[in-house]
Amino acid sequence: MRLHLIGGALLALVASCGGGETAEQGTGSSKTMVVGFAQLGAESNWRTAETRSVQDEAQRRGVELKFADAQGQQENQIRALKGFVGMNVGAILLAPKTETGWDNVLADVRKKNIPVVLLDRGVKVADESLYTTLIASDFVEEGRKAATWLVGATGGKCRLVELQGTVGSAPAIDRQKGFLEVLAQHPGMEVILSQTAEFGLAKGKEVMEAFLKAKPKEIQAVYAHNDDMALGAIQALEAAGLKPGVDVLVVSIDGGKPAFEAMAAGKLNCVVECSPLLGPLAFDALERLQRGETLPKRIVVEDRVFTAAEAAAELPNRKY
Ligand code: AHR
C-alpha cells in the first residue's frame, strides 16, 4: 500500500518490494527496496559514469534496481516509466532527456503514489508536485563560470563558437543562459556561430569542422556544453592544422578524465566540473524518504573550475 503523504513514501518504498512480494536479501529476510531507473541513454562519458554510479550504489545498498536505457529517445523513457508503474516499483529515478513532455506520464506515476526523484536534469511541469526532488548541478552557474573564465583569459575580447548540448535539455538551455548572461556585460565577446552537437564527440567534431569551413581564421575560442563535444572539436581543430588550447582556446563542462588528459596536454584550457557521481545522493534521498523525512525540492551538487595549470596534479583524483 502507498500513502499520499511524503512521509508515506517510507511505506511506499518498503511495502512495494517487487509487487508486494517478500524478496529475500542476502541471508536475511528483510524486504528489498525496488527502484526503477529511467536513464536517457549513453551519449557521453559523463552519462556512462552516472549510470555506473547509480548501479554500483544500488548494489552496495542491496537495492534491486530495474534499469532502462532509453537510447536517447524520450518515448522510450516514457515507456520505461509506465513499465515501472506496472512492476509496482517503490520509487523511480528519472534522468530526463528534455525539459518538457512529462506531465501526463508523471501524473500516471503519481496516481500510484510512487515517488519520482529527478537525477541531473530538471523538467518543466505544470504541477511541481509531480516529482519529489531534483538532484543536480546548477547548470546556469556552470555557464556563468565558463564565461567568466573565458572573459578573463581573453581580456574580454573574443570571437567564439558554441557547441550546444541536446536541444530542449536542461543543461543545453541553462548552460547557454548562464554563459550569455555574463557575455552581455562584455560587448567585446561575440558568439559568431552556435549549433547543437547533441553532447556527442563525433557530432562535436562534425559541427566544429563545419564551423571552421564557415569562418576560417576567425574562431578564437570554443565553448562546449560538455567534454565530449570539446574533445571532438579538438580533433577537428588539429585536423585543420590548428593548435587547440593555443591558436583556439577551448572551455568545456563536465570535467571527466579524458578532458583532464587533454588539459594536461595543453589542448583544452578550462573545465567546469559537473559531477555524474549521483548514485550515493540518489539513494540517500530515497532512504530519507523511507525514514519519513520531507526532502527539499532541489538538492544542488557543488562544482569546481579547473584550468590547464591544475590538470596534471588533479588527474589522479578524477573518478570519472
Ligand atoms: O545532464 C548532464 C549532461 O548530460 C552532461 O554534461 C553531459 O555530458 C551529459 O550527456
Side-chain angles (χ1 to χ4, degrees), residues 30-48:
S30 60
K31 290 178 175 178
T32 303
M33 186 195 285
V34 180
V35 175
F37 177 24
Q39 175 58 286
L40 69 91
E43 79 282 11
S44 62
N45 180 51
W46 188 100
R47 193 149 302 283
T48 308

Side-chain angles (χ1 to χ4, degrees), residues 202-216:
K203 193 81 183 159
K205 182 173 183 227
E206 189 185 309
V207 175
M208 190 66 209
E209 281 165 357
F211 283 173
L212 287 164
K213 227 181 230 170
K215 304 272 182 192

